[in-house]
Amino acid sequence: MKAWQLSGFGLDHLVLNDVPQPQPEVGEVVVRISSVSLNYRDKLLYDGNYNPQLAFPITQVADAVGEVVALGPGASRFQPGERVITNYCTRWIDGPPQGKESLYTLGNTIPGALADYLVITENALVAAPAYLSDDEAAALPCAGLTAWYALIEKGQLTPKQTVLIQGTGGVSLFGLQIATALGAEVIVSSSSDEKLERAQALGAKHTINYARTPDWEKEVLAITKEQGVDQILEVVGGKNLARSITAIKPGGQISVIGILDGFQADIPIFSLMLKQVVMRGISVGPRRGLEDMLRKFDQLKLHPVMDAVYSFDDALAAFRYLERGAFGKIVIRVRD
Ligand SMILES: NC(=O)c1ccc[n+]([C@@H]2O[C@H](COP(=O)([O-])OP(=O)(O)OC[C@H]3O[C@@H](n4cnc5c(N)ncnc54)[C@H](OP(=O)(O)O)[C@@H]3O)[C@@H](O)[C@H]2O)c1
């Protein structure tokens, strides 16, 4: 079968190889992949910033949809012919985190899904929603669950609360869609006025161009009449985190999700204490959370925001687009 594999760090080392088709072991299933979606995390991986100990060669990409075509011994959760999507943290079914959730992920310590077939534990799969196309279903797992888990499961978002969404990438636009659908008032920041217009069309009540307004936290305070917002999806990290502490309401929650601007942060601890801010690290979410999210998405008939769909052979162009910053999700169609 064909598989896009990393043979070393750097996008130059992502190559299309002929590899033997893996056989399922106990509790595993074989999935014929239809589509995969990209996440910024895939860039972190090939740049060597996610797992510097990555063992090469390793097939890339975590988020996928496909059809179960064969079962290993003892596998019984799905039948051949069923359409499934992958859960990012393959061993996190439910319950509190144990600390290694993001270790057992596809393209990292487990061969990924940018290939004709994926062999995976049946426990890491959920049924794909029937109302979504393969490309749309592939867009859901990592980015969708991250936003859902942060805002809804941990944040307990209620209607009328205010939410700040930073940027217009995959996690952010799921956050915008989820918060808007639940009746929250959303502020979106972006480096692009054109993207901000599109965010408004998706329900953003207020927008801020963070490239033109680097001290965007003052703008957030002005919009909220100096109250601050109830929740922030912090996808930027670095110096941005201190600004988020200024922009949050007393008692509000900052979901610490991303490191687009750096892995280290210098934060005002006194403000954090005085405002009694909840700062919560997020590591995507458990399979049960993905199932909860899919039920709600199905009720709402929520469709992910798709930016571009690339062919399997053109996978490198899809990754290059990821580096430029998409509006929503980028998909690679593995099989028509
Ligand atoms: N902890 C977790 O569980 C988890 C899960 C998923 C993702 N993540 C992390 O979350 C981050 C986003 O991931 P993603 O896959 O959604 O990325 P993505 O789709 O590649 O989105 C990137 C977007 O981020 C925005 N951005 C970049 N720098 C920014 C800044 N200084 N301020 C505000 N926005 C900025 C840009 O939006 P504009 O073009 O609109 O400016 C850019 O298009 C990454 O760091 C990723 O590693 C973490």
Side-chain angles (χ1 to χ4, degrees):
M1 68 171 193
K2 297 276 187 199
W4 280 96
Q5 296 190 311
L6 265 189
S7 59
F9 287 125
L11 195 51
D12 293 350
H13 294 105
L14 185 64
V15 287
L16 187 57
N17 285 335
D18 279 306
V19 299
Q21 193 171 322
Q23 297 304 311
E25 296 187 356
V26 174
E28 292 183 330
V29 300
V30 183
V31 179
R32 183 165 54 205
I33 300 297
S34 309
S35 298
V36 303
S37 82
L38 303 189
N39 292 285
Y40 191 82
R41 164 266 191 197
D42 301 318
K43 171 174 162 52
L44 292 175
L45 256 171
Y46 64 67
D47 283 343
N49 292 323
Y50 192 96
N51 176 6
Q53 317 302 330
L54 206 59
F56 302 111
I58 176 86
T59 305
Q60 286 304 285
V61 181
D63 282 357
V65 63
E67 182 188 336
V68 174
V69 290
L71 308 179
S76 60
R77 293 188 65 234
F78 300 97
Q79 291 304 310
E82 286 189 72
R83 210 167 63 123
V84 290
I85 61 176
T86 50
N87 188 41
Y88 181 73
C89 299
T90 61
R91 295 195 189 176
W92 192 10
I93 308 301
D94 200 359
Q98 306 297 318
K100 288 193 173 170
E101 282 66 29
S102 293
L103 180 60
Y104 303 110
T105 55
L106 301 180
N108 179 17
T109 54
I110 302 170
L114 189 48
D116 291 322
Y117 294 91
L118 170 72
V119 169
I120 186 169
T121 167
E122 62 173 359
N123 291 327
L125 299 172
V126 302
Y131 76 98
L132 293 177
S133 69
D134 286 340
D135 293 341
E136 291 174 321
L140 299 175
C142 177
L145 181 55
T146 300
W148 171 270
Y149 195 65
L151 287 173
I152 305 300
E153 179 148 347
K154 291 299 174 188
Q156 297 286 306
L157 185 71
T158 56
K160 310 279 181 238
Q161 280 194 333
T162 46
V163 177
L164 172 65
I165 300 291
Q166 300 174 340
T168 58
V171 173
S172 304
L173 288 192
F174 274 114
L176 169 61
Q177 288 181 290
I178 292 167
T180 303
L182 294 184
E185 190 173 312
V186 182
I187 304 171
V188 174
S189 68
S190 172
S191 56
S192 150
D193 288 338
E194 185 256 328
K195 288 181 177 179
L196 287 173
E197 268 178 39
R198 291 160 77 188
Q200 264 174 332
L202 288 168
K205 183 120 187 247
H206 309 277
T207 58
I208 303 171
N209 186 316
Y210 67 80
R212 237 187 359 256
T213 315
D215 46 359
W216 53 263
E217 69 281 11
K218 293 182 185 156
E219 187 75 20
V220 171
L221 289 174
I223 291 168
T224 57
K225 302 189 172 49
E226 304 305 316
Q227 299 298 300
V229 288
D230 293 286
Q231 290 201 45
I232 298 178
L233 291 190
E234 222 320 329
V235 296
V236 182
K239 292 192 176 68
N240 203 67
L241 188 52
R243 296 184 188 278
S244 288
I245 292 171
T246 302
I248 196 82
K249 187 185 268 186
Q253 172 175 303
I254 300 174
S255 295
V256 180
I257 292 172
I259 38 65
L260 293 165
D261 192 40
F263 288 87
Q264 301 294 328
D266 191 0
I267 57 169
I269 296 172
F270 206 47
S271 298
L272 192 74
M273 292 187 316
L274 291 181
K275 289 171 101 172
Q276 302 184 52
V277 176
V278 177
M279 263 213 322
R280 185 189 300 281
I282 294 288
S283 194
V284 192
R287 189 188 81 201
R288 196 259 318 130
L290 183 61
E291 289 161 344
D292 292 348
M293 178 189 94
L294 294 181
R295 264 192 301 279
K296 189 67 183 178
F297 279 17
D298 202 346
Q299 276 171 17
L300 297 168
K301 293 290 176 279
L302 188 148
H303 290 262
V305 180
M306 313 290 292
D307 187 316
V309 179
Y310 288 82
S311 69
F312 187 65
D313 289 341
D314 211 13
L316 287 175
F319 286 100
R320 285 192 205 101
Y321 188 36
L322 177 78
E323 299 197 340
R324 295 199 296 278
F327 185 84
K329 296 297 295 180
I330 301 167
V331 163
I332 298 173
R333 195 171 295 159
V334 175
R335 186 170 182 273
D336 277 315

